[in-house]
Amino acid sequence: MNPRNPLRILLGILVLLSPLLLIRYLAFHSLGERIELRPAGTDLVLRGWLQRPDGASSGRALILHGSNRFGIRLPLYRILAADLERSGFEVFLLDLRGFGGSDDPDPEDAGQFDFRGDIRAAVERLGWRDFHLVGHSFGGAIGMSYLTTTDDPR
């Protein structure tokens, strides 16, 4: 077969583009039920997406993103959330303040950068008592800080 065959070239292009198309689909596909919340002491509105499994939940997971401008819309988190949901988990993907779909804090007010308050606001809004905290990069540091400094009995 001729390597310059137009059909073969088209097939090669599709193979090269398929991962990009999948990433685009995952990044902009519905993220679940949209939830808005307000951390105590601020006028900020944070946004997150709740995904519930079909049937009974086997656990809950709160996912915190790294420091990227897309927040939780980065495909990595969608793939992780989908895997957890298929495993029976109820999953909440939270856009921390200043990222993704959440409001930006006032850069002049250091008190507006209480990212642990974002976690507290999310678990209070969801009414969760027991949950797994999954954090990537910046989100992992925020999660560890929350877990080691909070007096929240959850």
Side-chain angles (χ1 to χ4, degrees):
M1 182 176 218
N2 181 354
R4 294 182 191 249
N5 180 324
L7 182 57
R8 214 171 175 171
I9 292 170
L10 180 60
L11 183 60
I13 290 171
L14 287 175
V15 167
L16 290 173
L17 288 179
S18 61
L20 297 173
L21 295 173
L22 176 63
I23 287 170
R24 183 180 168 95
Y25 170 78
L26 290 171
F28 299 105
H29 187 61
S30 172
L31 295 169
E33 177 188 348
R34 183 177 170 168
I35 306 272
E36 290 189 350
L37 48 116
R38 293 182 187 275
T42 74
D43 293 328
L44 299 173
V45 176
L46 306 183
R47 291 170 184 87
W49 291 265
L50 181 63
Q51 294 180 218
R52 293 189 171 116
D54 295 331
S57 172
S58 62
R60 294 175 173 142
L62 172 60
I63 298 179
L64 303 174
H65 58 78
S67 57
N68 68 80
R69 66 186 174 111
F70 301 110
I72 214 68
R73 290 190 181 121
L74 198 66
L76 162 74
Y77 309 114
R78 289 284 302 130
I79 293 166
L80 176 60
D83 284 347
L84 288 169
E85 185 181 3
R86 276 193 298 276
S87 298
F89 278 81
E90 189 173 346
V91 181
F92 187 63
L93 300 115
L94 174 63
D95 267 338
L96 296 164
R97 61 186 74 192
F99 294 94
S102 291
D103 288 351
D104 292 333
D106 179 358
E108 303 297 320
D109 182 359
Q112 292 232 344
F113 288 88
D114 176 20
F115 293 102
R116 292 176 300 200
D118 298 355
I119 299 171
R120 196 171 18 261
V123 295
E124 287 173 3
R125 170 76 166 75
L126 296 167
W128 286 3
R129 182 104 182 113
D130 297 312
F131 61 95
H132 300 275
L133 190 55
V134 180
H136 171 244
S137 187
F138 177 71
I142 299 302
M144 288 299 291
S145 177
Y146 173 80
L147 293 172
T148 58
T149 62
T150 186
D151 57 357
D152 190 340
R154 293 174 233 256

